[in-house]
Amino acid sequence: MMFKPAFAVFAIGLLAATAAHAQYGGGGGGGGRHGGGGAPSGGAAPSTSGGTGGRPSGAPEIPADQIDIIGVVQSIDPANDRVTIAYQANDALDWQAGSKPFEVAKSALLKGVTVGEKVRFRLESLQIYVLQPYVPGQKLGPPTAPGVS
């Protein structure tokens, strides 16, 4: 009967393909440059060394704390100085689109922010230190938000 040897060959091939995929980082549980494919879920820090982060070869590397991230505010937790943002993919940080609660460096950053608002923000040590309403084509200003000293 040919069924058993054919099934065994298929099963071995499937296991080999799964192992190769996991080593590359295509799965959500490890491997790759940033564990689960680069998204900051689980607290993975943006990379600032080594790879090109989706930039053309030879392009200057931008420090992570100078990269603008765009997203939509999903919830605000002023008691814990946190804001949950659904953020867009960001090639410079090698992040896929996702959603995550972020801590803010100063509680004053949350003043005037509303749920559903599209924002532009920057991170330093995985904390938001600049948070402003999104304006198409406009980059963030200096690392202080309005009303923050």
Side-chain angles (χ1 to χ4, degrees), residues 92-118:
L93 292 172
D94 197 19
W95 284 7
Q96 297 175 0
S99 177
K100 175 180 173 43
F102 291 96
E103 191 173 331
V104 294
K106 296 183 180 184
S107 57
L109 290 169
L110 297 176
K111 288 185 176 27
V113 176
T114 59
V115 173
E117 180 179 15
K118 193 169 187 178

Side-chain angles (χ1 to χ4, degrees), residues 56-148:
S57 181
E61 188 167 320
I62 301 168
D65 63 349
Q66 294 179 15
I67 297 172
D68 293 357
I69 307 165
I70 299 169
V72 175
V73 175
Q74 293 184 318
S75 67
I76 302 167
D77 181 3
N80 293 306
D81 291 336
R82 290 189 175 273
V83 59
T84 300
I85 299 177
Y87 51 86
Q88 296 177 359
N90 190 302
D91 290 339
L93 292 172
D94 197 19
W95 284 7
Q96 297 175 0
S99 177
K100 175 180 173 43
F102 291 96
E103 191 173 331
V104 294
K106 296 183 180 184
S107 57
L109 290 169
L110 297 176
K111 288 185 176 27
V113 176
T114 59
V115 173
E117 180 179 15
K118 193 169 187 178
V119 293
R120 186 182 305 263
F121 63 101
R122 287 189 184 164
L123 297 175
E124 183 176 273
S125 301
L126 291 178
Q127 287 188 331
I128 294 176
Y129 77 102
V130 180
L131 177 65
Q132 297 175 357
Y134 174 78
V135 177
Q138 182 181 41
K139 295 290 184 186
L140 286 173
T144 54
V148 177

Side-chain angles (χ1 to χ4, degrees), residues 31-53:
R33 286 183 42 187
H34 299 286
S41 60
S47 174
T48 58
S49 63
T52 61

